[in-house]
Amino acid sequence: MKFGYTIFYVPDVSAAVSFYEQAFGLSCRFVHESSQYAEMDTSSTILAFASEEMAKSNGLTITPHRLENNAAAVEVAFITETIEEAFNQAIKAGAVAVKPIEVKPWGQTVGYVRDLNGVVVELCTPVL
């Protein structure tokens, strides 16, 4: 078994791609011609966005991510050596600060934001 994808169903795939490019410096590696699916280049596991309409067409019932609602019980984490710069860039791009940067008891530095759809994003240094 190999972990291949994390897919967030979103109302607007193009907006999600643009946000993740601006907020986290990711590059889009693939967009389907329908604009209903896109993948980001994370240099490891694939982070993808699919339209909420695609969820329906796949026969899935989902609870949509929305910034005005409580966050779903999931997060995506990006590891960086420049956490303060990354945190500030995310906020500048429109992310909402959830928890400021702090050093955890195990030595890792971590901060939390929510993306334009309300998904929790952890920004963190590598685990020491």
Side-chain angles (χ1 to χ4, degrees):
M1 191 68 68
K2 178 181 173 185
F3 183 59
Y5 298 85
T6 296
I7 301 172
F8 292 126
Y9 290 101
V10 297
D12 186 333
V13 172
S14 296
V17 167
S18 179
F19 177 82
Y20 274 72
E21 288 174 332
Q22 293 173 21
F24 307 115
L26 299 180
S27 300
C28 185
R29 69 179 223 156
F30 172 77
V31 178
H32 187 267
E33 62 189 30
S34 68
S35 297
Q36 299 295 301
Y37 179 82
E39 296 177 355
M40 306 303 292
D41 183 4
T42 67
S43 73
S44 56
T45 301
I46 297 166
L47 174 62
F49 302 105
S51 70
E52 292 171 355
E53 289 302 315
M54 184 176 276
K56 290 177 190 173
S57 70
N58 288 338
L60 303 175
T61 301
I62 62 167
T63 301
H65 296 281
R66 295 293 185 267
L67 193 54
E68 63 271 12
N69 296 338
N70 288 334
V74 63
E75 71 177 54
V76 62
F78 296 122
I79 300 170
T80 180
E81 296 288 346
T82 58
I83 189 165
E84 288 183 20
E85 181 181 319
F87 191 89
N88 291 334
Q89 179 60 39
I91 299 303
K92 182 179 174 184
V96 176
V98 173
K99 192 150 193 228
I101 297 169
E102 66 180 351
V103 178
K104 297 294 187 176
W106 52 90
Q108 186 181 34
T109 305
V110 177
Y112 295 91
V113 299
R114 288 181 74 187
D115 77 5
L116 77 163
N117 296 304
V119 174
V120 175
V121 178
E122 175 183 328
L123 299 170
C124 59
T125 58
V127 176
L128 302 176

